[in-house]
Amino acid sequence: GALIGAAEGAADFTALRAIGADFVYLEASHGGRGRDRMFASNLQRVRDSGLQFGVMHTYDPCVPAERQAANFVTTVPRDEELLPPAVALETLADECADPVTEAGVESELTTFLNQIEGHAGKPAVLKISRAFEERYRLAGRIERRLWLSRNWLQPDYAGRPWTLWTANDRLRTEAGEEPVRWVVLQP
């Protein structure tokens, strides 16, 4: 599958399916107000492609959970066809204007997950970066499926198996001019 957002431009979902993609995740929202500028058009086009699809929110530990959840639920429609929502955990709280403790990051993330999972009707997948996991060690404390990243070699930094793996973050294909982030699903 692939992870698609504004950085990939106007993706050709039919072409992605033709080269072997079975699913697509679309970047939808980030933080308390951010929205991927291509989300609405990508959502319409992926529906027409026949691919399974889901959405991703990029979590910001500096923004309260309620504001981020409100951004997610107003951006992402309720739809039983959607794959479980994914939450990208990449930004560390070190840059927050108001200091956030490690316990605070976990508490706010748990609140956020409860709210978006209620909207989606499915447990979320945590797309956790190596740096985020090394700092907060959440993979072992929050029981959700994991989405890890490492180009070409399977990631091993979470201490437990991954469900999704970004295996190549700049795969060039016939499906478009811009490279895509290619994602593997573990059976």
Side-chain angles (χ1 to χ4, degrees), residues 1-6 8 11 13 16 21-28 36 39 42-43 46 51-57 72 81-88 122-127 145-147 163-166 180-185:
L3 173 57
I4 302 293
E8 285 76 25
F13 296 105
L16 280 171
D22 295 318
F23 64 92
V24 171
Y25 267 87
L26 303 175
E27 290 183 340
D36 187 274
F39 177 67
N42 279 340
L43 183 61
V46 77
L51 285 168
Q52 292 184 336
F53 58 95
V55 298
M56 177 177 291
H57 174 85
F72 179 88
E81 288 184 40
L82 288 173
L83 295 170
V87 179
K122 300 171 186 168
V125 176
L126 301 181
K127 183 182 183 292
R145 288 178 287 169
L146 298 179
W147 178 340
T163 300
L164 293 161
W165 161 35
T166 304
V180 297
R181 292 167 283 179
W182 197 250
V183 181
V184 175
L185 173 66

Side-chain angles (χ1 to χ4, degrees), residues 48-121:
D48 297 338
S49 74
L51 285 168
Q52 292 184 336
F53 58 95
V55 298
M56 177 177 291
H57 174 85
T58 301
Y59 187 80
D60 183 343
C62 302
V63 177
E66 292 79 14
R67 282 191 18 218
Q68 294 193 68
N71 185 23
F72 179 88
V73 301
T74 58
T75 302
V76 177
R78 285 184 190 226
D79 186 339
E80 290 184 14
E81 288 184 40
L82 288 173
L83 295 170
V87 179
L89 301 170
E90 299 165 348
T91 304
L92 304 179
D94 300 341
E95 303 297 322
C96 299
D98 293 326
V100 179
T101 65
E102 291 179 16
V105 169
E106 183 174 355
S107 175
E108 285 291 298
L109 177 60
T110 301
T111 298
F112 172 77
L113 290 171
N114 288 335
Q115 291 178 4
I116 69 159
E117 289 171 346
H119 176 75

Side-chain angles (χ1 to χ4, degrees), residues 126 138-140 142-146 148 157-162:
L126 301 181
L138 293 178
I142 297 180
E143 189 59 39
R144 300 293 190 289
R145 288 178 287 169
L146 298 179
L148 305 178
Y157 58 84
R160 63 186 180 95
W162 51 268

